[in-house]
């Protein structure tokens, strides 16, 4: 997984405008606009994923891939791994490549207008973008919810394994 992530982020770096001087992914404590936008988008996606997990009757804190730690919604993080690139990375790359400003505060946080624009774009992608899924075109919100339900059916023994979602780029 680590090697795949290195290759992925190396490819992403080729798509990030050079004037952003992006050095690579930074999760906690990010002080640059690109990483801050990614992290904010992932937080929005995580909220959508947590809702889907709860609606499927599952415990958001009991995951498989992410380590269980107090206060860490491991299953939610497991679920959203399938959607990070399709929802957040795609939106943020689109914004920076269209020269949408992501202004930062003096403390290194995204300014309000940048957060609003990003939230609007990420939620719009989740609610309005349709992808092929199980023989039909579905919104990403529907797919996230279906994937959470599929995890529940695997855990109940009604399905042999979980098939991850792969979006078209």
């Amino acid at each position: 997984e680590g090697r795949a992530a290195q290759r992925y982020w190396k490819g992403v770096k080729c798509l990030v405008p050079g004037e952003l001087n992006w050095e690579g992914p930074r999760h906690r404590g990010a002080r640059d606009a690109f990483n801050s936008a990614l992290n904010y988008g992932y937080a929005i996606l995580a909220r959508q994923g947590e809702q889907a997990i709860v609606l499927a009757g599952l415990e958001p804190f009991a995951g498989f891939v992410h380590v269980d730690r107090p206060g860490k919604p491991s299953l939610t993080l497991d679920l959203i791994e399938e959607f990070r690139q399709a929802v957040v990375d795609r939106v943020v790359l689109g914004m920076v490549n269209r020269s949408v400003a992501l202004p930062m505060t003096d403390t290194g946080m995204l300014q309000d207008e940048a957060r609003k624009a990003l939230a609007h774009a990420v939620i719009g992608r989740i609610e309005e973008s349709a992808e092929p899924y199980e023989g039909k075109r579905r919104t990403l919100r529907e797919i996230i919810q279906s994937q959470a339900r599929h995890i529940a059916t695997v855990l109940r023994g009604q399905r042999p394994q979980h098939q991850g979602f792969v979006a078209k780029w």
Side-chain angles (χ1 to χ4, degrees), residues 135-147:
K136 297 181 181 177
R137 291 194 63 77
R138 309 258 182 189
T139 66
L140 287 166
R141 177 181 304 285
E142 292 170 315
I143 297 168
I144 291 168
Q145 291 170 346
S146 290
Q147 288 296 93

Side-chain angles (χ1 to χ4, degrees), residues 9-81:
W9 290 114
K10 185 177 179 180
V12 168
K13 189 169 184 160
C14 294
L15 301 173
V16 176
E19 62 268 14
L20 292 181
N21 297 317
W22 187 62
E23 295 181 7
R26 299 282 181 270
H27 303 291
R28 293 184 182 261
R31 296 284 185 210
D32 65 284
F34 190 74
N35 277 312
S36 293
L38 288 174
N39 294 340
Y40 190 68
Y42 295 151
I44 294 168
L45 177 60
R47 180 69 183 114
Q48 301 295 316
E50 184 173 4
Q51 286 178 331
I53 292 289
V54 170
L55 287 172
L58 299 172
E59 169 56 57
F61 294 90
F64 297 96
V65 177
H66 289 85
V67 176
D68 287 339
R69 289 191 197 130
K72 183 177 180 181
S74 300
L75 186 56
T76 299
L77 297 174
D78 291 350
L79 174 65
I80 69 168
E81 285 297 331

Side-chain angles (χ1 to χ4, degrees), residues 98-119:
R98 286 189 317 275
S99 300
V100 173
L102 296 171
M104 305 283 287
T105 66
D106 293 338
T107 59
M109 305 289 285
L110 290 172
Q111 289 183 4
D112 287 346
E113 65 264 18
R115 287 196 313 271
K116 287 177 187 174
L118 183 58

Side-chain angles (χ1 to χ4, degrees), residues 7 90 103 108:
R7 287 184 178 164
R90 183 173 173 163

